[in-house]
Amino acid sequence: MNSTQSTVSPVVKQQAPFLFFVLFLLIQATVLTVLTVPFTWELFWLAVGSYFLRMFGITGAYHRYFSHASFKTSRVFQFVLAWIGSMAMQKGVLWWAAHHRNHHKYSDTDKDIHSPSKKGFWYSHMLWFLKDEYNDYEAKLIPDFYKYPELRLLDKYHWVAPLSYAVILYAIGGWAWLVYGYALATFILGHATWTINSLSHVYGSVRFDSRDTSKNNFWLAILTMGEGWHNNHHHYCSSVNQGFYWYEVDVTYYILKFLSFFGIVWDLKKPPQKVLEEGRRRDEEKRLARSQPKIRTKTKMEVASVTSR
């Protein structure tokens, strides 16, 4: 990627290159190789572990660290995070973070690169990143991490990490491990990640006025280790925890908090008290609004009962 000379516009066009689209579909079709391997619980848990390891690479590394700098870490562990994220096969770390920052800047406007309200479900879900013009990115969008040569190298050769991961799986467990640990897990991982672009802007509840269509969705939060609290995130995107309250499950945050006990990560940014208080106030207003009709109905019934006497 020659990001220093990029003139990429955030405005999208509605078509993807046909040949690249076909190649993408063929890669997606590798999930069908699961039919060639008999099911075992060992392979099932391998797929689960492979899924969540690399999901953390997207949620904790690509998103919360590189896109939003919501915590700090050493240069060595920074590279480790970038490598784990690259293993998810969702392009390079600088590419991912730069485009995500653009998404927040233009969220749900005509310049949003993957808004379901503007471009439709499938385009926001996955078709947008098949476009040739999105192979590049603006270095000025991510100057804080573009300055590291090792990250630029990993970003340029982003296929090295997933290929290495696939080779290791095959070397350890042969074809069966490659199919379950890579093909199946990567297929599910990709679509689960992309639901945050598509479904979390369509289905769920709204707590904060984030001036876009972002929603909080418990089921997507479970599927993506906490990313489903998307309305929270769009309201205060620099927070390391996207589940703002104890009852909002956010596994990515739990892992980062655990790592902080050992000094591996530090300076975990949290939403300020005024944001939390605003959220509680809005939740209470919604609760009262929901209960209000029941109160009125009960009062009318009581009045009718008294009148009939």
Side-chain angles (χ1 to χ4, degrees):
M1 296 181 184
N2 183 14
S3 61
T4 57
Q5 298 179 359
S6 170
T7 56
V8 175
S9 168
V11 181
V12 298
K13 299 177 182 178
Q14 298 301 309
Q15 295 180 348
F18 179 73
L19 292 179
F20 191 43
F21 179 66
V22 171
L23 176 61
F24 174 76
L25 291 180
L26 290 175
I27 293 173
Q28 291 284 291
T30 60
V31 70
L32 298 176
T33 57
V34 73
L35 301 176
T36 68
V37 179
F39 174 85
T40 68
W41 283 108
E42 176 190 354
L43 293 175
F44 170 82
W45 289 114
L46 171 67
V48 170
S50 179
Y51 170 90
F52 282 110
L53 169 65
R54 294 177 296 154
M55 178 61 80
F56 176 76
I58 295 297
T59 63
Y62 270 29
H63 189 203
R64 304 193 195 191
Y65 181 70
F66 290 104
S67 297
H68 295 291
S70 61
F71 61 93
K72 295 179 182 178
T73 189
S74 65
R75 186 167 176 174
V76 172
F77 194 68
Q78 172 181 276
F79 185 79
V80 171
L81 287 174
W83 184 274
I84 297 173
S86 297
M87 284 164 50
M89 202 175 175
Q90 295 186 24
K91 293 191 176 183
V93 57
L94 301 179
W95 175 92
W96 202 103
H99 282 297
H100 186 76
R101 290 180 180 186
N102 240 346
H103 161 65
H104 273 269
K105 183 178 180 179
Y106 299 108
S107 184
D108 284 321
T109 69
D110 290 335
K111 293 184 178 183
D112 189 347
I113 54 179
H114 46 63
S115 169
S117 63
K118 297 294 183 179
K119 312 299 188 305
F121 172 81
W122 285 111
Y123 197 92
S124 65
H125 188 69
M126 63 182 187
L127 296 182
W128 71 272
F129 59 75
L130 300 179
K131 296 179 63 59
D132 284 338
E133 65 234 54
Y134 292 120
N135 287 335
D136 214 337
Y137 62 93
E138 294 279 6
K140 65 183 181 182
L141 291 172
I142 189 164
D144 44 344
F145 294 111
Y146 188 80
K147 64 185 178 182
Y148 296 104
E150 66 273 20
L151 293 181
R152 295 199 301 270
L153 186 66
L154 182 60
D155 182 82
K156 181 177 181 179
Y157 300 104
H158 56 82
W159 51 268
V160 172
L163 178 61
S164 301
Y165 183 61
V167 169
I168 291 172
L169 287 171
Y170 184 79
I172 295 174
W175 177 250
W177 273 46
L178 181 64
V179 168
Y180 271 81
Y182 192 81
L184 176 62
T186 302
F187 177 85
I188 300 174
L189 170 67
H191 287 282
T193 305
W194 305 331
T195 61
I196 303 302
N197 294 342
S198 52
L199 295 181
S200 68
H201 280 258
V202 178
Y203 299 107
S205 61
V206 176
R207 170 181 287 135
F208 298 103
D209 180 13
S210 57
R211 299 183 181 181
D212 54 29
T213 62
S214 59
K215 308 286 194 299
N216 285 336
N217 189 303
F218 169 81
W219 298 109
L220 293 183
I222 297 299
L223 188 66
T224 60
M225 301 176 69
E227 299 290 291
W229 307 114
H230 206 52
N231 180 246
N232 291 353
H233 172 60
H234 269 253
H235 182 66
Y236 194 80
C237 62
S238 62
S239 175
V240 70
N241 57 317
Q242 295 186 13
F244 285 178
Y245 307 99
W246 65 267
Y247 49 84
E248 295 179 335
V249 180
D250 188 346
V251 177
T252 298
Y253 170 66
Y254 305 153
I255 294 173
L256 291 170
K257 185 65 175 179
F258 178 76
L259 293 175
S260 72
F261 294 149
F262 301 94
I264 299 173
V265 301
W266 58 89
D267 288 353
L268 277 62
K269 298 177 183 177
K270 303 287 290 292
Q273 193 61 33
K274 65 178 182 180
V275 170
L276 298 178
E277 291 173 355
E278 178 187 358
R280 293 190 187 98
R281 176 179 58 79
R282 287 174 175 265
D283 286 350
E284 181 64 15
E285 289 174 351
K286 290 171 64 176
R287 187 189 67 79
L288 292 175
R290 286 194 300 266
S291 64
Q292 199 66 27
K294 296 180 181 179
I295 296 174
R296 286 198 298 268
T297 301
K298 183 177 180 181
T299 301
K300 289 179 180 179
M301 292 175 62
E302 291 174 347
V303 170
S305 176
V306 171
T307 303
S308 65
R309 294 177 195 169

